[in-house]
Amino acid sequence: MKVNIYYGGRGVLDDPTIYVLNKMQEVLEELRVSVERYNIYEHKSSISTLPQTIKDADGVILATTVEWLGIGGYMQQFLDACWLYGDKERIAQTYMQPIVMSTTYGEREAELSLMNAWATLGGLPCNGLCGYVEDLVSFQMNQDYSLIIEKKA
């Protein structure tokens, strides 16, 4: 089994989504799932080719951080590229789990946006994980949150 992770944040050190993705990737790899991670910000000039990588995956995780309003530009560009250049037949067979962490507010709306976008593309959205994180250190040290993340993986 192979899962592709598409991270649509900016890659800043205090991004809670990175912590969640690292934890989820660790659990998936323990379960012998092959995981490929794409940091969309590293592919700014080639976002239009990223949808082709979905062909190799049995499932995808779309992850982003709400810093101000909505899912952010990188994730929106990726979803636009999926609409324009993606293999709709392959997407229709691919499950997607949204992961949205917020440092302000709007994480539930952003999770719903990702689910609606994937459904519009013809894909199969799954229940995701979203949350508001006020203090990253407290979030990382809380064992209950870690357990929730591991179970979602």
Side-chain angles (χ1 to χ4, degrees):
M1 176 177 225
K2 182 171 185 208
V3 173
N4 286 356
I5 297 174
Y6 299 92
Y7 167 64
R10 296 183 301 131
V12 295
L13 290 176
D14 62 345
D15 186 342
T17 305
I18 293 173
Y19 170 75
V20 172
L21 289 179
N22 289 341
K23 181 69 81 177
M24 291 189 84
Q25 185 169 347
E26 180 182 306
V27 171
L28 289 170
E29 288 173 348
E30 284 178 14
L31 296 171
R32 298 178 194 247
V33 173
S34 174
V35 178
E36 184 80 29
R37 188 149 155 192
Y38 297 93
N39 296 323
I40 299 172
Y41 67 89
E42 293 175 352
H43 299 272
K44 291 188 261 199
S45 60
S46 60
I47 289 178
S48 62
T49 63
L50 276 180
Q52 298 307 312
T53 61
I54 295 172
K55 289 180 181 181
D56 303 340
D58 297 303
V60 298
I61 295 173
L62 299 183
T64 193
T65 305
V66 176
E67 295 180 23
W68 178 65
L69 179 68
I71 62 173
Y74 293 132
M75 184 57 73
Q76 185 65 52
Q77 286 179 332
F78 173 71
L79 291 168
D80 287 347
C82 287
W83 177 258
L84 295 170
Y85 310 113
D87 181 345
K88 303 291 190 316
E89 289 180 20
R90 183 64 186 130
I91 290 172
Q93 302 168 12
T94 307
Y95 287 94
M96 183 279 297
Q97 180 181 35
I99 305 295
V100 180
M101 303 310 288
S102 173
T103 58
T104 55
Y105 55 87
E107 64 278 356
R108 289 185 180 157
E109 292 84 359
E111 179 187 28
L112 185 59
S113 292
L114 290 176
M115 292 176 74
N116 288 338
W118 197 253
T120 299
L121 289 167
L124 305 165
C126 300
N127 289 332
L129 176 67
C130 70
Y132 167 75
V133 177
E134 186 174 354
D135 176 34
L136 183 61
V137 174
S138 298
F139 176 65
Q140 291 174 334
M141 301 305 284
N142 188 312
Q143 291 302 314
D144 291 334
Y145 293 146
S146 291
L147 187 60
I148 290 169
I149 296 165
E150 289 174 8
K151 285 183 179 182
K152 278 294 183 176

